[in-house]
Amino acid sequence: MTLPAPTVVYRTRVYQDAESVTASLRQSGINARLVSPQEVGHMGEGPVFDVLHDVLAADCKQDDVLHLIEQWRGRIEDTRKHELPFCYFCGETLGSMTVTCPSCGNSLDADGTKPRHGDG
């Protein structure tokens, strides 16, 4: 199916992901653009708003776009697997998982990447 008019092909709450998908599609020759923010409210005890970032594409085949997005997801997952943990207090890159930061001495959570609640 050809997308003659701008159609949402990807939606996320993470701006950097939406920006990255748009750039990847454009680099592959797809007419894509990023549109944001779109606030979404939730009813309940009080309004909670999320911001959604939409990636739109036009003048292309839907199957081509979906295939390119799947390729992008694979690349992002591979990249995120190889990211080194770091201390959220001082920014020091941690060579291995550790309970405390060797640079600033603050306590980190069990996997050595985030501060525990109440610390710091």
Side-chain angles (χ1 to χ4, degrees):
M1 174 180 154
T2 301
L3 304 173
T7 304
V8 175
V9 294
Y10 186 80
R11 177 174 281 161
T12 183
R13 289 180 174 89
V14 181
Y15 178 80
Q16 292 82 357
D17 287 354
E19 189 175 48
S20 179
V21 167
T22 304
S24 180
L25 291 174
R26 292 180 67 101
Q27 187 175 23
S28 297
I30 301 293
N31 180 10
R33 65 180 175 176
L34 172 60
V35 179
S36 61
Q38 177 181 348
E39 291 183 352
V40 178
H42 301 278
M43 299 305 291
E45 292 181 12
V48 176
F49 292 96
D50 290 326
V51 176
L52 298 177
H53 308 280
D54 291 339
V55 176
L56 288 81
D59 304 322
C60 58
K61 294 187 181 200
Q62 183 177 7
D63 290 341
D64 293 343
V65 171
L66 295 176
H67 178 70
L68 290 168
I69 291 173
E70 285 305 313
Q71 286 180 336
W72 172 84
R73 282 187 176 126
R75 286 192 309 270
I76 291 300
E77 286 176 18
D78 287 345
T79 300
R80 289 180 178 159
K81 285 179 189 174
H82 299 326
E83 289 179 349
L84 293 174
F86 64 94
C87 175
Y88 277 66
F89 294 100
C90 69
E92 179 74 20
T93 301
L94 305 172
S96 62
M97 299 304 179
T98 179
V99 177
T100 59
C101 174
S103 180
C104 68
N106 282 303
S107 295
L108 304 171
D109 69 351
D111 69 2
T113 59
K114 297 178 187 170
R116 289 184 187 165
H117 294 288
D119 286 350

